[in-house]
Amino acid sequence: METVETHAALIIPMFNEASVIDAVVRRARSNFSTIICVDDGSSDDSADVAAVAGAVVVRHPINLGQGAAIETGFAVALRNRSLTHFVTFDADGQHDVSDALAMVERARRESLDCVLGSRFLGEARHLPAARRLLLRGAVKFTAITTGLTLTDAHNGLRVFNRKSAEQMSLRLTGMSHASEILSLIARHGWTYAEHPVTVSYTDYSRAKGQKGYNALNVLFDLAVNRVRAIA
Amino acid sequence: MIIRVLLLAGLACAALTVMRGRTTALSLLMGRSAALLAIGVGAIAVLAPDLVTFVANQVGVGRGTDLLVYVMAVVFLLTTLALYSRAAAARHTTVTLARRIAVLENRLLLLEESDQQAHTR
């Protein structure tokens, strides 16, 4: 029998994922009783599909960005006092629910504030070469700016306990949240560990995913955010 | 040359504009005063163009037109940065409000659901 986690919730930011979200939510429900899908102003019926599949759906009235969706997901999840751990999870099917489960168990066992998924410790299926190069660059950039030595600096599969979740405050609303979270880990001194995960790139996720040049936008966001922090 | 000091001071102000997030009463007053001053100086420049050339020479610039261009460049930068700051602050407000709406609707939905469940028992 499969383990059903009742004290950890999945937080899934969604934007126009009606074609895949049903399968993702149903698969996740076999291991997690609480799935929170944040619909970031989708123009398709992602929200309805996710709700029918058994997720708690929260809708942004307008599109705000993945970082904003994750922040909203945390805001809603934290209201449920029975939840002890929170997992950010992709809506496009790139992540494996069994990895999420293993990471929650590890966070509990080792009393960690965060567990960060790493495809380079685990497996990255059909990862385009250019993307691999970019991600390696992200790792170096993260090491320089935050002092954290990671193998995968831009993974959307992460687990947080209540302590880090409550302190989390994402100012950046776009894709930069992934890097912003790392600087929060460094700043607050949250305990963390990397865990091997499988990330599967499909034609769907590659077509829909971030363009490589968006990394430049992320760099800009991080720089502005840093300047604001000094001011 | 004095003009270099003045232009660098202007750029330093631009840098400060980027850093400072909040609009205070002082910054509002400074902005309004600067605008009125600019209008006043502009009027004088139109009425006495030789004066512009004189001032330019005093600070180490050959032509009055060149001085005008330098001043415009700094003003343009300051304006752009101030607008960018405003836009970013407005965006933050929008995100906060949208999130509040999303969470409230979610709470309402949960209340309606538990209401329905109570009635069907």
Side-chain angles (χ1 to χ4, degrees), chain A residues 40 45 112 127 154 157 177 221 229:
Chain A
D40 192 19
D45 56 353
L112 295 166
L127 175 63
H154 217 266
L157 180 49
H177 68 85
D221 282 341

Side-chain angles (χ1 to χ4, degrees), chain B residues 56-103:
Chain B
N57 290 333
Q58 293 307 302
V59 294
V61 178
R63 304 189 314 164
T65 324
D66 291 346
L67 179 65
L68 187 64
V69 169
Y70 297 151
V71 169
M72 269 180 62
V74 174
V75 167
F76 179 74
L77 185 65
L78 279 166
T79 310
T80 308
L81 290 172
L83 283 172
Y84 182 81
S85 270
R86 289 252 188 103
R91 165 123 181 116
H92 181 67
T93 305
T94 304
V95 171
T96 308
L97 287 172
R99 176 166 300 128
R100 191 78 182 268
I101 291 173
V103 173

Side-chain angles (χ1 to χ4, degrees), chain A residues 138-157:
Chain A
V139 164
K140 288 209 172 57
F141 175 76
T142 300
I144 295 168
T145 54
T146 64
L148 300 175
T149 38
L150 301 171
T151 55
D152 189 346
H154 217 266
N155 198 302
L157 180 49

Side-chain angles (χ1 to χ4, degrees), chain A residues 118-141:
Chain A
S118 170
R119 82 202 83 189
F120 297 119
L121 285 178
E123 198 187 331
R125 292 192 190 140
H126 313 297
L127 175 63
R131 184 52 57 101
R132 183 181 294 269
L133 208 63
L134 185 59
L135 290 169
R136 290 228 181 281
V139 164
K140 288 209 172 57
F141 175 76

Side-chain angles (χ1 to χ4, degrees), chain A residues 104-119:
Chain A
V104 170
E105 282 165 4
R106 181 165 176 192
R108 271 213 189 92
R109 202 172 54 239
E110 298 178 28
S111 297
L112 295 166
D113 294 325
C114 325
V115 177
L116 311 173
S118 170
R119 82 202 83 189

